[in-house]
Amino acid sequence: MNAADLAALLDVPLHGDGTLPVLRPCHPREARRPEDVAIAMDPALLPLLADSPARVAVVAADAVDAVPEGAVGAILGVGRPRLAMAGLTAAFAPPPPVAPGIHPSAVIEDGVVLGEGVAVGPFVHIAAGAEIGAGTAIGSHVTIGAGVRIGPNGLIHAGVRIGAGCTIGSHVILHHNASLAADGFSFVTPEKGSVESAKESGRVEATNQGLVRIYSLAAVTLGDHVEVGANACLDRGTLSDTRVGDHTKIDDLVLIGHNVTVGSHCMICGQTGVAGSAVIGDRVVLAGRVGVADHVTIGDDAVVAAGSGVGQSLKGRAVYAGTPAVERERAFEMLMLTGRLKHLFRDVKALKAAAAAGRN
Amino acid sequence: MNAADLAALLDVPLHGDGTLPVLRPCHPREARRPEDVAIAMDPALLPLLADSPARVAVVAADAVDAVPEGAVGAILGVGRPRLAMAGLTAAFAPPPPVAPGIHPSAVIEDGVVLGEGVAVGPFVHIAAGAEIGAGTAIGSHVTIGAGVRIGPNGLIHAGVRIGAGCTIGSHVILHHNASLAADGFSFVTPEKGSVESAKESGRVEATNQGLVRIYSLAAVTLGDHVEVGANACLDRGTLSDTRVGDHTKIDDLVLIGHNVTVGSHCMICGQTGVAGSAVIGDRVVLAGRVGVADHVTIGDDAVVAAGSGVGQSLKGRAVYAGTPAVERERAFEMLMLTGRLKHLFRDVKALKAAAAAGRN
Amino acid sequence: MNAADLAALLDVPLHGDGTLPVLRPCHPREARRPEDVAIAMDPALLPLLADSPARVAVVAADAVDAVPEGAVGAILGVGRPRLAMAGLTAAFAPPPPVAPGIHPSAVIEDGVVLGEGVAVGPFVHIAAGAEIGAGTAIGSHVTIGAGVRIGPNGLIHAGVRIGAGCTIGSHVILHHNASLAADGFSFVTPEKGSVESAKESGRVEATNQGLVRIYSLAAVTLGDHVEVGANACLDRGTLSDTRVGDHTKIDDLVLIGHNVTVGSHCMICGQTGVAGSAVIGDRVVLAGRVGVADHVTIGDDAVVAAGSGVGQSLKGRAVYAGTPAVERERAFEMLMLTGRLKHLFRDVKALKAAAAAGRN
């Protein structure tokens, strides 16, 4: 690829010599060769271009003229830098980390159907009746349960566990050690227990005499283009599958409880947890470390700030923060007023003193 | 199984034709065949029965008469719906996802003792001297360390890691990729470090000149009927085992630190973390995303609400919430008053203005 | 080893018979044999020594005279008990749980370089071009990607996943199922999306029309003596590696996002999450369950209390707490004042009543 090819691929204007070869994008400080492409879309990085051996630079469209004279041989100016990063990194993305073909150590049980071009790494176990779509790559040490169906062009990284009966769409990416379809965490006491009494009266008036297991008979269904992060857990549904809609992205260490429904185009960031039977709409953003209580509903396009605790259902198309999560302005107001409490206590003390003095 | 068998198994009355066959329980909307059992214990689902092909329905005992006329051929009326779900799902639970016998790919070292009917999946590694009780099933890719003892009738799902020396009771279920007996997180600085100075004075008056490792010489002991969720971590003890009592259930992504003792019949919900040397009593419920500080004690039958941060020891048989966790009424009071701060600030402003006016 | 050897190793004075043999350290209550070493550095444990079969005890230096007469045959008195625990446990630490040599089931691809004495367990997969330093032990079911470089004397526990291209120093310990170099969680919408509008205006004025992936082209670099806990996740960088400095210790279930830089000698405790591109200084302590927002900076020697949410950059050498995290005194003040709100509301009510009465 050369600079002109890259400009065409990103659909951005090129300034300078389009024939310069390009090998990989990198931070201007980390460029080692003329063929490295220095990424300096942050204006603060522009001065580094003068000392960088890279001959091609990608900068913000309005910063093209600010590139030091003669620093590089070709400049690409991009309008929306983060979107350009998507294009740039896609252009140089490595192939999936699975060699073509079926590794001889893999254990593939009876009745498994592998589509054309499926790659299977060492020590993979695919149980009876599973179907893997064409072009899907399965990394080493993956477990795929009986009857699982995975669509085409997916990438299942090393150590992923997919329990029996799951349905997974096309172009899905599952990262290291993610767990699909472990059993839901669902127990009941024969008589009313401590949690039920706490919910009713706010007090513990009953003790848990025994915990009886509710089995999870359903599985997990993922739509197309879903991504699930490393060590994340999506648990089985009880009677109906736990579901995640198309294009939803789930980060590392996220927990999606049993029976949860997540819509499409959501972003669920790192270490967030969604408890059983919650319903998350479309295009919802749950920032990092959010907790969502069981059975609540979150409307389409809601944005929940990092660290929030969602205890009640939230309407869509609004920004929420805090524990319990409330609309952002309200959360900020409470925070701001709490920060000014010292002055309030002082004022009230003065008022009391004045009142006492007035009485004398 | 037919409807009468199912009614007998759940010990509930049957209305209608007991000879109707039953194949699997499902949501009324997802029933596809006459043999599906429509589960409609939530009254809101009753109208769906009319359009469902299912011929057998399970409803709340007081809703039997509300089932649409002729919608089904047999009705089971249950008194405590969630408990009925336990019975229903147990009746239709799938067999463990491990084929009988020892898979030829498994690596079983010298001196391992396998009880009768133990099933071992592909790519399992059982180190020297381990003992597995009769009827326990071990899924693919499981690692069992040297000298581990596992009781009978357990189910170890794919990818679980059990470090050397652990002791595990009977009927234990360990889910995908759970880690037992990784080393505790325990370090010390040669001289007093930043955390010690912070604990003493509230300020950082010392710097961490080096972190020296305290090794974990003990392991993890689990009682009978314990369940550990996917990607959960229970760390080794330093000198004595980290311990979890009988019938305690631990959810996905939970962290139980080194030297912790958890009593029996506890429920520790998703993403909760218990720091080193804490002591959790019997029948304690820690809801999701709770944090428990090191060395604190939580009394029997305590219920700690989701997202709470337990910084001090808590007495038993009470409900706690907030960070730091306090009794629920107190937590709610503070929350409610914080929500009314805006009015308080306004009132004080008015009082100040009135006082100022009075002085003129 | 005998008591005198142990005293020499810990560099502490010995009182009594140095020839007594020592086999393993344990809690006084758990000692079973004369050769057990009773660890009673906590003065509360001293009375237990009388009933313990152990003949050698380790106690605090100032408690030597408080050991019950004749309870043991030799006493070691230590000055800094927790540091002594490091020495004691190191002296009795078990060997790594990997048998010497290369297990025949391991899959080692072309061009892999194994240093002298490298141990490789069953079902390990080492991809092409990886280099493993002398003396490093690799537990069962580990995945090591193409071109990974691991220094000498490391210990990689079972189920660890190391993505292609990572660089790992010497004496590194990676615990069960830790994930290195899963892809960063990085997406962009073609047009301005909900999060961008929320950051600008506090409201959701745009919807996420599509989520385009930013690929992670870089990997993870760990310094020497780094430790990573079970099921922890350290994600790849986008253009430059995510980096962790020498001697930094990371606990279980921690998430280190893409492009993050962590300094040396840090302690990052259980379930903490650091979002993308944050910069953590040297000797920083993040206690358990801390959240750190993307792109913030935390200065050297900062200590952040458990459960805090760091939303803004923090200066070094100070103690922080709360969400959002502020200096500890400030956090405690707000907490204390919030706890006294009930009285404040009462006072203001009284002042209002008095003012109203005064007006009449």
Side-chain angles (χ1 to χ4, degrees):
Chain A
M1 200 180 322
N2 64 27
D5 298 332
L6 186 58
L9 194 140
L10 298 181
D11 194 19
V12 299
L14 170 80
H15 310 265
D17 179 0
T19 67
L20 289 170
V22 295
L23 264 181
R24 56 156 202 156
C26 59
H27 192 283
R29 212 173 3 234
E30 298 186 353
R32 296 284 171 268
R33 298 158 296 193
E35 298 83 6
D36 288 343
V37 182
I39 308 301
M41 295 187 288
D42 176 347
L45 301 180
L46 291 173
L48 297 177
L49 293 177
D51 291 329
S52 167
R55 297 297 297 142
V56 179
V58 181
V59 305
D62 56 10
V64 169
D65 294 337
V67 174
E69 187 73 24
V72 292
I75 303 173
L76 285 72
V78 302
R80 186 162 159 76
R82 224 174 128 73
L83 185 59
M85 276 297 281
L88 263 169
T89 56
F92 295 96
V98 190
I102 313 297
H103 195 277
S105 66
V107 169
I108 299 180
E109 296 187 11
D110 293 347
V112 169
V113 178
L114 302 182
E116 197 176 359
V118 165
V120 177
F123 310 123
V124 167
H125 174 213
I126 308 182
E131 295 184 27
I132 316 292
T136 287
I138 301 174
S140 50
H141 304 101
V142 167
T143 312
I144 297 179
V148 167
R149 301 175 60 149
I150 302 180
N153 301 310
L155 173 53
I156 318 292
H157 283 277
V160 167
R161 314 295 165 200
I162 305 177
C166 289
T167 306
I168 295 175
S170 71
H171 299 88
V172 165
I173 302 176
L174 307 179
H175 290 284
H176 291 152
N177 293 339
S179 161
L180 263 57
D183 291 340
F185 191 72
S186 190
F187 299 91
V188 59
T189 51
E191 309 290 330
K192 191 189 290 183
S194 61
V195 173
E196 283 164 284
S197 87
K199 282 186 179 168
E200 284 177 19
S201 71
R203 288 188 296 278
V204 174
E205 293 170 331
T207 192
N208 289 350
Q209 324 87 333
L211 298 170
V212 185
R213 190 170 206 275
I214 296 177
Y215 285 77
S216 298
L217 305 185
V220 173
T221 293
L222 304 184
D224 298 335
H225 297 276
V226 168
E227 189 158 342
V228 177
N231 286 321
C233 300
L234 283 66
D235 284 355
R236 289 180 183 283
T238 308
L239 297 178
S240 309
D241 280 9
T242 301
R243 283 171 193 280
V244 176
D246 295 342
H247 292 277
T248 282
K249 314 299 182 182
I250 296 176
D251 198 358
D252 298 352
L253 294 165
V254 164
L255 171 51
I256 303 289
H258 60 285
N259 301 337
V260 167
T261 298
V262 180
S264 63
H265 292 93
C266 293
M267 291 190 67
I268 303 190
C269 302
Q271 296 180 318
T272 282
V274 180
S277 302
V279 177
I280 313 290
D282 294 331
R283 300 173 305 279
V284 169
V285 177
L286 304 179
R289 308 180 66 76
V290 168
V292 178
D294 57 291
H295 291 90
V296 308
T297 295
I298 298 183
D300 296 344
D301 295 298
V303 174
V304 183
S308 303
V310 180
Q312 305 283 341
S313 292
L314 301 178
K315 286 183 191 162
R317 222 176 162 86
V319 185
Y320 299 92
T323 300
V326 293
E327 289 218 32
R328 182 184 164 283
E329 290 83 20
R330 176 92 175 114
F332 278 26
E333 182 190 74
M334 283 197 284
L335 202 58
M336 186 262 292
L337 295 177
T338 304
R340 284 165 46 191
L341 271 181
K342 193 176 171 177
H343 306 291
L344 193 68
F345 272 90
R346 194 180 295 157
D347 286 350
V348 171
K349 192 175 174 187
L351 286 166
K352 284 170 67 178
R359 280 197 298 276
N360 293 338
Chain B
M1 200 180 321
N2 65 26
D5 299 332
L6 186 57
L9 193 139
L10 298 180
D11 193 19
V12 299
L14 171 80
H15 311 264
D17 180 0
T19 67
L20 288 170
V22 295
L23 262 182
R24 56 156 203 158
C26 59
H27 191 284
R29 210 172 5 234
E30 298 187 353
R32 297 283 170 269
R33 298 158 296 193
E35 299 82 5
D36 290 341
V37 181
I39 309 301
M41 297 188 287
D42 175 348
L45 302 180
L46 292 172
L48 298 177
L49 294 177
D51 291 330
S52 168
R55 297 297 297 140
V56 179
V58 181
V59 305
D62 57 10
V64 169
D65 295 337
V67 174
E69 186 74 24
V72 292
I75 304 173
L76 286 72
V78 302
R80 184 161 161 76
R82 224 174 129 72
L83 186 59
M85 275 298 280
L88 261 169
T89 57
F92 295 96
V98 190
I102 313 296
H103 194 277
S105 67
V107 169
I108 300 180
E109 297 187 11
D110 292 347
V112 168
V113 178
L114 302 181
E116 197 176 358
V118 164
V120 177
F123 310 123
V124 167
H125 174 212
I126 307 182
E131 295 185 29
I132 316 291
T136 288
I138 301 174
S140 52
H141 305 100
V142 167
T143 312
I144 297 180
V148 166
R149 300 175 62 150
I150 302 180
N153 300 311
L155 174 52
I156 318 291
H157 283 277
V160 167
R161 314 294 164 201
I162 306 177
C166 288
T167 305
I168 296 175
S170 72
H171 299 88
V172 165
I173 303 177
L174 307 179
H175 289 283
H176 289 152
N177 294 339
S179 162
L180 263 57
D183 291 340
F185 191 71
S186 189
F187 299 91
V188 59
T189 50
E191 309 290 330
K192 192 189 289 183
S194 62
V195 173
E196 284 164 285
S197 87
K199 283 187 178 166
E200 283 177 19
S201 71
R203 289 187 295 279
V204 174
E205 292 170 330
T207 191
N208 288 351
Q209 323 87 333
L211 298 171
V212 185
R213 190 170 206 274
I214 297 176
Y215 286 77
S216 299
L217 306 185
V220 173
T221 294
L222 305 184
D224 298 336
H225 297 276
V226 168
E227 190 157 342
V228 177
N231 286 320
C233 300
L234 283 67
D235 285 354
R236 289 180 183 282
T238 308
L239 298 179
S240 308
D241 280 10
T242 301
R243 283 171 192 282
V244 176
D246 295 343
H247 292 277
T248 282
K249 314 299 183 184
I250 295 176
D251 198 357
D252 298 353
L253 294 167
V254 165
L255 171 51
I256 304 290
H258 59 286
N259 301 334
V260 166
T261 298
V262 180
S264 63
H265 292 92
C266 292
M267 292 190 66
I268 303 190
C269 302
Q271 297 180 320
T272 282
V274 180
S277 302
V279 177
I280 313 290
D282 293 333
R283 300 174 303 280
V284 169
V285 177
L286 305 179
R289 307 179 68 76
V290 168
V292 178
D294 56 292
H295 290 90
V296 309
T297 295
I298 300 183
D300 295 346
D301 295 298
V303 173
V304 182
S308 303
V310 179
Q312 305 283 341
S313 291
L314 301 178
K315 287 182 190 162
R317 224 176 160 88
V319 185
Y320 298 92
T323 301
V326 293
E327 289 218 31
R328 183 184 165 282
E329 290 83 18
R330 175 91 175 114
F332 278 28
E333 181 191 74
M334 283 196 284
L335 203 58
M336 186 262 292
L337 294 177
T338 303
R340 283 164 47 190
L341 272 181
K342 193 175 170 177
H343 305 292
L344 193 68
F345 271 89
R346 194 180 294 157
D347 286 351
V348 171
K349 192 175 174 185
L351 286 166
K352 282 170 71 179
R359 277 198 299 275
N360 293 337
Chain C
M1 200 181 320
N2 65 26
D5 298 333
L6 186 58
L9 194 140
L10 297 181
D11 193 19
V12 299
L14 170 80
H15 309 264
D17 180 359
T19 67
L20 289 170
V22 296
L23 264 182
R24 56 155 203 156
C26 60
H27 191 284
R29 212 173 4 235
E30 298 187 353
R32 296 285 170 267
R33 299 158 296 192
E35 299 82 5
D36 289 342
V37 182
I39 309 301
M41 297 188 287
D42 176 348
L45 301 180
L46 292 172
L48 298 177
L49 294 177
D51 291 329
S52 169
R55 298 296 297 140
V56 179
V58 181
V59 305
D62 57 9
V64 169
D65 295 338
V67 174
E69 187 73 24
V72 291
I75 305 171
L76 286 73
V78 303
R80 185 162 160 75
R82 222 173 131 71
L83 186 59
M85 276 297 281
L88 263 168
T89 57
F92 294 96
V98 190
I102 313 297
H103 195 276
S105 67
V107 169
I108 299 181
E109 297 187 10
D110 292 347
V112 168
V113 178
L114 301 182
E116 198 177 355
V118 165
V120 177
F123 310 122
V124 167
H125 174 212
I126 307 182
E131 294 185 27
I132 317 291
T136 288
I138 301 173
S140 51
H141 304 100
V142 167
T143 312
I144 297 180
V148 167
R149 300 175 63 149
I150 302 180
N153 300 310
L155 175 52
I156 318 292
H157 283 278
V160 167
R161 313 296 164 199
I162 305 177
C166 289
T167 306
I168 295 175
S170 71
H171 298 90
V172 165
I173 303 177
L174 307 179
H175 290 284
H176 290 153
N177 293 341
S179 161
L180 262 58
D183 291 342
F185 191 72
S186 190
F187 299 91
V188 58
T189 51
E191 309 291 329
K192 191 188 291 184
S194 63
V195 173
E196 284 165 285
S197 86
K199 282 187 180 168
E200 283 176 19
S201 70
R203 289 188 296 278
V204 174
E205 293 171 329
T207 191
N208 288 350
Q209 322 89 333
L211 297 171
V212 185
R213 188 171 208 273
I214 296 177
Y215 286 76
S216 298
L217 306 185
V220 173
T221 294
L222 304 184
D224 298 334
H225 296 276
V226 167
E227 191 157 342
V228 177
N231 285 321
C233 301
L234 283 67
D235 284 355
R236 288 180 183 284
T238 309
L239 297 178
S240 310
D241 280 10
T242 301
R243 284 171 193 281
V244 176
D246 295 341
H247 291 276
T248 281
K249 315 298 183 184
I250 296 175
D251 199 357
D252 298 354
L253 294 166
V254 164
L255 171 51
I256 304 290
H258 60 286
N259 301 335
V260 167
T261 298
V262 180
S264 62
H265 291 92
C266 292
M267 291 189 67
I268 303 189
C269 302
Q271 295 179 319
T272 281
V274 180
S277 302
V279 177
I280 313 289
D282 294 331
R283 299 173 305 280
V284 169
V285 177
L286 304 179
R289 308 181 65 77
V290 168
V292 178
D294 57 290
H295 291 91
V296 308
T297 296
I298 299 183
D300 296 343
D301 294 298
V303 174
V304 182
S308 303
V310 179
Q312 304 284 340
S313 292
L314 301 179
K315 287 183 188 160
R317 222 176 161 87
V319 185
Y320 298 92
T323 300
V326 292
E327 290 217 33
R328 183 184 164 283
E329 290 83 20
R330 177 91 175 113
F332 278 28
E333 182 190 75
M334 284 196 284
L335 203 59
M336 186 262 291
L337 294 177
T338 304
R340 285 164 46 190
L341 272 181
K342 193 175 171 178
H343 306 290
L344 194 68
F345 272 90
R346 194 180 294 158
D347 286 350
V348 171
K349 193 175 173 185
L351 286 166
K352 284 170 69 178
R359 277 197 298 276
N360 294 339

